[in-house]
Amino acid sequence: MPFFLLTSVVVPLVGDGADPFRDVGWQFVAFGGALPLAALAALLFPLLRPLEVAAVRSLCGVPAERLADGPAASWAARRRTALWFVAHLLAGGIVSGMTLSAPPAAVLLLLLPFAAPLRHAAPGVPEILHGVLGPLAGLALLALVVGTAWGAGLLLARVAPVLLGPTPADRLAAAERRAAELASRNRLARELHDAVGHALSAVTLQAGAARRVLDTDPEFARRALAAIEETTRDAVAELDTVLGLLREENGSEPGAPAPTLDGLEALLDRTRAAGVPVEATVEGPCARLAPVVSREAYRIVQEGLSNALRHAGPVPVRLHLGVGEGELLIRVENPVAGAGAGVGAAEARAGAAGAGAAAGAAVDPAGRPGGGRGLRGIEERARLLGGAATAAERDGVWRLTARLPLTGAGIGTRTGTGTGTGTGTGEW
């Protein structure tokens, strides 16, 4: 109506004798001139698309997944919205005009046979309609209005997904948003799995060992409970780190910083407190790695030790970290629980004996269904940095290997390198 009123004012200024307010013919001219103005408005105002989408969902019954979401960002989307708006106003204008003029005419035709004064008041009505045909014509006219409105709605419902549906750019943007959401969820899942999973595995073994020797070795039980307390305290800090990532996603202040290889010594101490002897070797300037590489390396080592705790029990674990040839090499090895013969079985027995001497009793790993998320998380971490990770059993020994490239990540400016062997960590 605003566009129609505007053109109704302009038409008399450009057309001699034009009167859209009284002449039906000039009303059609004004209506036709209003449609280009509506198309121009649709091109200039991107917010028109969500308004039209809401109307189509409510009035035409078109499923929401077939329509675009949000304002028309690209010119292609604006052009399609403009075409839809013109079609909408064209069909709406026709239906509006019919509903304004046809019902009064239909009522007149229905009453003509029964009211002689009406026949004299409407001299333009053919005499053939003064009889029985008049009511029939009136009913046909009402049916025409209903049929036109129904047909226009059906046509608009078919056209709406084509003109108001997502453009290729909209689909690409939606796919990018979905990918970002999945990446964020996977990131949180990895952090939660690696941070809390390791602590729970260590606490499970420590609690099991304490329960077995509670009556025979109360002193060890007290030490195990102290280790559980320390492990859970660290787990709470790790959980705060993961929640900090979630707060960053929501735009709030970040939580505690994620652990890096600077905390490797404490990680190894917690693992040894669970009855697992760990032999660590560190070569190269691992303490000078870029923060992102150091964080991901810490999580990979943490998950490797967690796998040994969960699936092999108190068996000896070898950890090797080395910087060289533009990459950081991480290798975690441990005998498979119940390995057959050979070196793997001997190491498993020796490791179990050593753990039993340290813990007061050996702890058998409990079977756990499912799994595999940790290894998938390690592969994702390595792949995000442009590296690779593999894990497989060979000759009764489980080997986890990850290679993280240092190109582009950089190494700090601090000096000092070193290596370490034995049951402790290297000087680095």
Side-chain angles (χ1 to χ4, degrees):
M1 186 60 67
F3 303 112
F4 175 73
L5 292 176
L6 178 61
T7 53
S8 297
V9 173
V10 174
V11 165
L13 300 178
V14 298
D16 188 17
D19 190 359
F21 295 100
R22 295 182 180 181
D23 192 326
V24 176
W26 284 108
Q27 287 181 2
F28 280 104
V29 173
F31 178 69
L35 294 178
L37 294 179
L40 181 61
L43 287 173
L44 297 179
F45 298 100
L47 289 176
L48 181 64
R49 187 172 73 169
L51 295 176
E52 290 296 309
V53 166
V56 169
R57 290 175 180 173
S58 302
L59 302 178
C60 297
V62 179
E65 60 270 13
R66 300 185 62 188
L67 301 173
D69 186 21
S74 64
W75 284 107
R78 295 187 184 188
R79 288 192 294 268
R80 292 169 63 176
T81 304
L83 288 175
W84 160 261
F85 197 40
V86 169
H88 179 189
L89 295 186
L90 178 61
I94 293 174
V95 173
S96 297
M98 293 183 65
T99 54
L100 288 173
S101 59
V107 172
L108 177 63
L109 292 174
L110 289 172
L111 297 178
L112 275 180
F114 312 102
L118 288 178
R119 291 194 293 270
H120 298 291
V125 178
E127 292 186 4
I128 192 174
L129 298 178
H130 291 178
V132 180
L133 293 180
L136 295 179
L139 293 175
L141 190 58
L142 292 176
L144 179 62
V145 175
V146 174
T148 302
W150 175 82
L154 183 63
L155 178 62
L156 291 177
R158 288 181 174 272
V159 174
V162 178
L163 298 181
L164 292 181
T167 63
D170 293 328
R171 293 190 179 93
L172 179 60
E176 291 176 347
R177 288 194 299 270
R178 178 60 177 167
E181 292 173 0
L182 291 177
S184 177
R185 291 173 55 184
N186 288 339
R187 179 191 181 195
L188 293 174
R190 287 195 305 268
E191 294 294 332
L192 187 61
H193 177 278
D194 294 350
V196 181
H198 174 80
L200 292 179
S201 299
V203 167
T204 299
L205 291 178
Q206 291 164 346
R211 176 177 58 84
R212 286 175 170 82
V213 300
L214 182 60
D215 297 328
T216 59
D217 193 350
E219 180 60 27
F220 168 76
R222 282 192 291 270
R223 292 198 304 271
L225 291 175
I228 291 174
E229 180 183 2
E230 181 181 357
T231 302
T232 53
R233 186 184 300 111
D234 293 337
V236 171
E238 293 269 11
L239 184 59
D240 182 67
T241 299
V242 177
L243 295 179
L245 295 175
L246 182 59
R247 286 192 290 268
E248 288 181 20
E249 298 293 337
N250 294 333
S252 302
E253 295 182 359
T260 63
L261 287 178
D262 290 338
L264 181 61
E265 183 74 32
L267 174 63
L268 296 179
D269 289 342
R270 291 195 300 269
T271 305
R272 295 187 183 105
V276 176
V278 181
E279 177 185 335
T281 303
V282 180
E283 298 178 352
C286 291
R288 297 163 51 203
L289 297 175
V292 62
V293 177
S294 186
R295 286 195 301 267
E296 299 305 317
Y298 179 91
R299 291 301 192 194
I300 291 174
V301 171
Q302 185 181 50
E303 178 57 25
L305 297 176
S306 297
N307 282 337
L309 282 171
R310 283 193 294 263
H311 302 292
V315 298
V317 178
R318 291 197 184 101
L319 169 64
H320 173 79
L321 286 88
V323 177
E325 300 296 332
E327 68 176 10
L328 171 64
L329 173 63
I330 303 173
R331 183 180 295 114
V332 182
E333 298 179 350
N334 63 270
V336 178
V343 177
E347 289 179 339
R349 289 192 295 269
V363 181
D364 296 327
R368 186 173 65 91
R373 297 182 182 87
L375 294 178
R376 185 164 60 247
I378 290 175
E379 294 174 357
E380 292 174 353
R381 291 181 186 277
R383 189 165 56 248
L384 287 174
L385 293 180
T390 59
E393 175 192 353
R394 184 177 180 182
D395 299 330
V397 177
W398 180 264
R399 291 180 175 86
L400 167 66
T401 303
R403 298 179 182 274
L404 307 181
L406 303 180
T407 304
I411 297 180
T413 58
R414 287 183 293 173
T415 60
T417 61
T419 62
T421 57
T423 58
T425 57
E427 298 295 333
W428 54 287

